[in-house]
Amino acid sequence: MADIRVTFTKLGKLKYISHLDLQRAIHRMLVRSGLPISFSEGFNPHPRLNIALPLSIYQEGERELFDFRITEDVDEAVITEKLRKAAFPGMDIIKAELAIGKLHTKRAVWRLELESELTPDEVKSALSGEMVVTKRTKNGEKQVDIAPMSRFVSAERVGERLMLRVELNAAGNDYLNPSYIAAFLGDKVKLMRTVRENIIF
């Protein structure tokens, strides 16, 4: 019995599927792989699966993570190869390895691809101080300064788009959706693509 951690991509048309649909697709992939998967008990058994940090619809991920359990010892290279053969379009299996520790996420690095006349320096300056936005909570909407939950990484012009990278909180109640960064920048930007580049835990 061992827990396996898989690093995978969720790109392209997969940005249109919900987290629940992704979970179902991974369930089917694990079954198709032919690996000795550990299943839950009960009337509707399914593979034991833990996906880190669900992505919102229209968001993509370059290094997403999920853990699952196998009941027999299998070489990591064999697991990786079987999952690659069973994967579906838009999902590439980067690697599968023995899971060390739980998937307690702390931060995530995001790339926001923007249409904007702002320069990289202007974006950096805008994100360097207080960042008050209207944030949705369980108790309704309230004004929140998201600056303590975010860190500017870089901004650069690539062709006609402005590529903004930020590191955001990704732990429990402190999770910050990158859409709030675009909301703070307001009418000066148009968000064209949102990609999670990496998860830190």
Side-chain angles (χ1 to χ4, degrees):
M1 189 81 72
D3 289 333
I4 302 300
R5 180 157 299 155
V6 179
T7 305
F8 69 100
T9 66
K10 182 178 182 285
L11 299 170
K13 292 183 179 179
L14 288 184
K15 69 182 179 181
Y16 299 115
I17 72 171
S18 68
H19 176 66
L20 183 59
D21 288 335
L22 176 66
Q23 190 175 44
R24 290 168 177 161
I26 293 176
H27 282 173
R28 292 194 294 270
M29 179 188 71
L30 291 174
V31 172
R32 284 199 307 269
S33 73
L35 290 165
I37 306 298
S38 175
F39 286 82
S40 63
E41 299 176 356
F43 293 105
N44 184 28
H46 55 269
R48 298 181 187 275
L49 176 68
N50 181 21
I51 304 176
L53 282 182
L55 284 167
S56 300
I57 293 179
Y58 306 123
Q59 294 179 348
E60 299 174 78
E62 292 181 338
R63 294 186 66 84
E64 298 299 291
L65 300 169
F66 72 81
D67 287 359
F68 72 100
R69 182 168 293 177
I70 55 176
T71 57
E72 303 171 15
D73 289 337
V74 183
D75 186 81
E76 293 176 1
V78 173
I79 296 173
T80 301
E81 183 60 26
K82 284 182 176 291
L83 291 178
R84 283 175 177 165
K85 289 181 179 179
F88 40 90
M91 182 183 191
D92 291 328
I93 304 299
I94 298 172
K95 63 179 178 179
E97 57 191 347
L98 190 66
I100 299 175
K102 300 296 183 181
L103 281 174
H104 295 314
T105 56
K106 296 180 179 178
R107 309 275 284 179
V109 178
W110 295 85
R111 183 175 74 251
L112 280 60
E113 300 185 12
L114 310 168
E115 280 190 0
S116 177
E117 296 299 321
L118 294 173
T119 67
D121 284 343
E122 286 173 334
V123 171
K124 181 179 180 180
S125 177
L127 300 180
S128 64
E130 187 178 62
M131 299 165 58
V132 177
V133 299
T134 301
K135 197 170 187 294
R136 294 183 298 274
T137 69
K138 293 179 180 179
N139 299 318
E141 295 183 342
K142 64 178 182 179
Q143 296 296 107
V144 177
D145 179 13
I146 61 173
M149 305 171 68
S150 65
R151 183 178 72 85
F152 173 85
V153 176
S154 66
E156 61 179 332
R157 179 72 59 181
V158 179
E160 296 183 355
R161 290 194 179 181
L162 185 64
M163 302 293 188
L164 169 63
R165 286 179 173 83
V166 288
E167 185 178 300
L168 307 179
N169 280 11
N173 293 332
D174 285 333
Y175 178 81
L176 182 63
N177 193 302
S179 62
Y180 287 112
I181 301 295
F184 172 73
L185 293 172
D187 295 337
K188 296 179 180 179
V189 304
K190 181 179 180 181
L191 182 58
M192 304 302 296
R193 191 181 181 205
T194 307
V195 182
R196 187 158 60 199
E197 294 185 336
N198 200 17
I199 297 172
I200 302 167
F201 60 97

